[in-house]
């Protein structure tokens, strides 16, 4: 079956329908990872977006469900150059095409993803439609596509009620704003008892359990949209509990303390982004997935100072909070997929909790 990807600027790509055949309008973003497509598909940070994989062959090692990063797949759509229909891997339990159908995610294959990525890099992230209906009015469709916005995705992806991963060590409260499972796993394997809370949990409910530390997770969408969550994060900041925040959590903490965020032209998504630690000068290769960044010019230096910087475009990649046991990073130390260079940040968080309040 033929499928079409129509961008809001009028560009049209014709290819083959994969996954679900339903029509979808979404924000189109690209990911440069060479492997880890299942982890990308099950990363809640992609809610409200359709993902272009820049690596030309996707699905060659099949679907290994134990590698999923959450309970389901989250992107609105999936766009690839070539889809492998006969996977080869002793761990594979399914094909990616069947997985997309099962998860009701529409996609398109057989298009020039390199040309598409160049458009998104030059013109910036834009909306698009994936459809199997070839009988469309381009001007009418373009107007419909332009009206799409990503909204309400944090509460959509968050857990609906708290749950606990048992451990005999430090008690960590994880605020799930669209968390990847590997964040909790990294804490759990270090002995922590991890209690995962819905994103809209009041700060008082978390603090009354007297946790040794608080994690603010990654998640989807525009951070500034989450006004209520930001207010609760401000209360967590004012407590004396050690806090470690990742990606969206990093942005929410910055907003809660008076800084601003802005949308990047096309974001950072992939497993090969170099980040420099400003204290040591060391550069780490990191896994990233975000479309917004903290505006360093808006920081109050008496509250927070830059701790990490993106080597490619000099955007902020992390903050250290003055006089507080709080540090935040824009990238993903839990990786999955991606390099494990920055896993040491979980150990830093463990030392913060050991030192106490």
């Amino acid at each position: 079956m033929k499928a079409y990807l129509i961008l809001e600027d009028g560009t049209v790509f014709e290819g083959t329908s994969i996954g679900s055949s339903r029509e979808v309008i979404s924000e189109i973003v690209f990911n440069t990872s060479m492997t880890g497509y299942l982890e990308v598909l099950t990363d809640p940070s992609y809610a409200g977006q359709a993902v272009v994989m820049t690596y030309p062959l996707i699905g060659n090692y099949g679907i290994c469900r134990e590698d999923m990063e959450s309970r389901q797949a989250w992107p609105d759509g999936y766009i690839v150059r070539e889809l492998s229909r006969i996977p080869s891997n002793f761990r594979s339990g399914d094909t990616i095409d069947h997985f997309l159908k099962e998860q009701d995610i529409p996609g398109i294959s057989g298009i020039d993803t390199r040309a598409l990525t160049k458009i998104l890099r030059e013109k910036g992230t834009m909306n698009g439609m994936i459809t199997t209906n070839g009988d469309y009015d381009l001007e009418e469709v373009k107007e419909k596509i332009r009206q799409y916005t990503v909204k309400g995705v944090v509460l959509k992806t968050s857990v609906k009620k708290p749950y606990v991963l048992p451990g005999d060590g430090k008690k960590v409260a994880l605020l799930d704003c669209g968390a990847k499972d590997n964040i909790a796993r990294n804490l759990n394997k270090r002995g922590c008892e991890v209690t995962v809370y819905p994103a809209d949990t009041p700060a008082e409910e978390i603090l009354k359990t007297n946790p040794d530390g608080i994690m603010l997770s990654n998640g989807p969408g525009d951070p500034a949209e989450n006004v209520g969550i930001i207010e609760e994060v401000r209360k967590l900041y004012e407590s004396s509990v050690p806090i470690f925040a990742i990606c969206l959590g990093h942005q929410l903490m910055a907003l809660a303390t008076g800084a601003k965020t802005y949308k990047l032209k096309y974001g950072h998504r992939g497993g090969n982004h170099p980040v420099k630690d400003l204290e040591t000068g060391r550069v780490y290769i990191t896994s990233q997935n975000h479309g917004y960044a903290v505006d360093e010019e808006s920081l109050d230096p008496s509250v927070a100072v830059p701790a990490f910087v993106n080597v490619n475009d000099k955007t902020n990649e992390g903050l250290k909070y003055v006089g507080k046991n709080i540090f935040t990073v824009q990238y993903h130390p839990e990786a999955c997929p991606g390099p494990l260079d920055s896993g040491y940040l979980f150990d830093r968080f463990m030392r913060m909790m050991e030192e106490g309040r």
Side-chain angles (χ1 to χ4, degrees):
M1 186 189 303
K2 283 186 178 180
Y4 305 89
L5 170 65
I6 307 167
L7 300 181
E8 66 177 77
D9 70 348
T11 304
V12 179
F13 291 87
E14 181 179 322
T16 302
S17 174
I18 58 174
S20 169
S21 59
R22 68 182 175 88
E23 185 173 279
V24 67
I25 296 175
S26 190
E27 184 178 72
I28 312 297
V29 300
F30 63 88
N31 184 296
T32 59
S33 295
M34 296 174 70
T35 62
Y37 50 80
L38 180 60
E39 291 93 332
V40 168
L41 280 165
T42 54
D43 181 348
S45 294
Y46 283 112
Q49 298 174 327
V51 186
V52 183
M53 300 301 291
T54 62
Y55 190 71
L57 179 62
I58 298 297
N60 54 319
Y61 55 86
I63 295 293
C64 313
R65 291 180 188 270
E66 56 268 37
D67 295 342
M68 290 174 64
E69 276 298 312
S70 65
R71 62 191 180 274
Q72 66 178 76
W74 291 104
D76 288 339
Y78 203 55
I79 303 160
V80 301
R81 175 69 185 91
E82 182 180 348
L83 194 75
S84 174
R85 299 188 182 276
I86 307 176
S88 177
N89 182 355
F90 73 98
R91 296 176 65 234
S92 175
D94 206 345
T95 65
I96 192 167
D97 187 45
H98 183 265
F99 180 77
L100 292 171
K101 285 186 171 72
E102 173 195 286
Q103 299 287 319
D104 195 28
I105 295 177
I108 183 170
S109 69
I111 70 167
D112 187 343
T113 50
R114 182 167 61 175
L116 173 56
T117 302
K118 283 184 175 181
I119 291 171
L120 298 177
R121 280 178 58 91
E122 289 165 9
K123 296 186 178 181
T125 295
M126 65 178 79
N127 295 338
M129 172 190 282
I130 298 173
T131 181
T132 56
N133 178 18
D135 184 23
Y136 57 83
D137 180 303
L138 186 57
E139 292 306 313
E140 184 180 309
V141 167
K142 278 166 57 179
E143 185 55 36
K144 188 177 176 183
I145 292 170
R146 288 193 189 104
Q147 292 173 7
Y148 174 82
T149 55
V150 180
K151 284 188 176 297
V153 283
V154 167
L155 293 181
K156 177 183 176 182
T157 56
S158 179
V159 294
K160 301 303 180 267
K161 58 183 181 180
Y163 68 91
V164 179
L165 293 175
D168 54 11
K170 297 295 182 184
K171 289 170 57 180
V172 177
L174 170 57
L175 191 66
D176 176 11
C177 298
K180 290 169 63 186
D181 287 348
N182 209 38
I183 295 175
R185 283 196 296 259
N186 265 283
L187 294 166
N188 205 221
K189 75 180 183 182
R190 287 168 170 83
C192 296
E193 175 188 287
V194 182
T195 304
V196 182
Y197 291 93
D200 57 356
T201 303
E204 292 84 356
E205 185 175 327
I206 294 172
L207 294 172
K208 74 181 181 183
T209 65
N210 197 32
D212 296 301
I214 297 171
M215 280 281 328
L216 307 181
S217 83
N218 65 293
D222 181 351
E225 179 194 41
N226 302 286
V227 177
I229 298 171
I230 291 167
E231 187 57 42
E232 299 307 313
V233 169
R234 185 176 294 115
K235 296 174 187 176
L236 297 176
Y237 166 82
E238 290 168 353
S239 76
S240 57
V241 183
I243 298 175
F244 177 24
I246 292 171
C247 200
L248 179 68
H250 154 78
Q251 297 163 358
L252 294 175
M253 180 60 75
L255 290 165
T257 53
K260 296 178 181 178
T261 55
Y262 63 96
K263 190 169 185 177
L264 295 166
K265 185 176 180 181
Y266 48 82
H268 302 150
R269 298 174 182 89
N272 57 352
H273 292 267
V275 168
K276 185 176 183 178
D277 184 329
L278 295 176
E279 186 175 333
T280 65
R282 184 171 180 177
V283 173
Y284 299 89
I285 303 301
T286 68
S287 175
Q288 301 202 10
N289 175 14
H290 61 101
Y292 292 81
V294 173
D295 180 3
E296 286 192 358
E297 297 297 318
S298 69
L299 291 173
D300 180 345
S302 68
V303 175
V305 295
F308 297 91
V309 66
N310 188 291
V311 175
N312 289 335
D313 62 10
K314 311 305 178 188
T315 54
N316 180 263
E317 291 281 1
L319 298 172
K320 181 180 180 182
Y321 284 79
V322 179
K324 291 279 189 177
N325 279 331
I326 299 174
F327 73 100
T328 69
V329 294
Q330 181 63 78
Y331 52 96
H332 288 267
E334 83 285 354
C336 275
L340 305 178
D341 293 28
S342 49
Y344 74 94
L345 293 173
F346 286 99
D347 298 319
R348 179 186 291 183
F349 183 46
M350 294 298 295
R351 288 194 298 272
M352 280 174 53
M353 290 191 289
E354 291 290 344
E355 292 162 5
R357 307 182 183 190

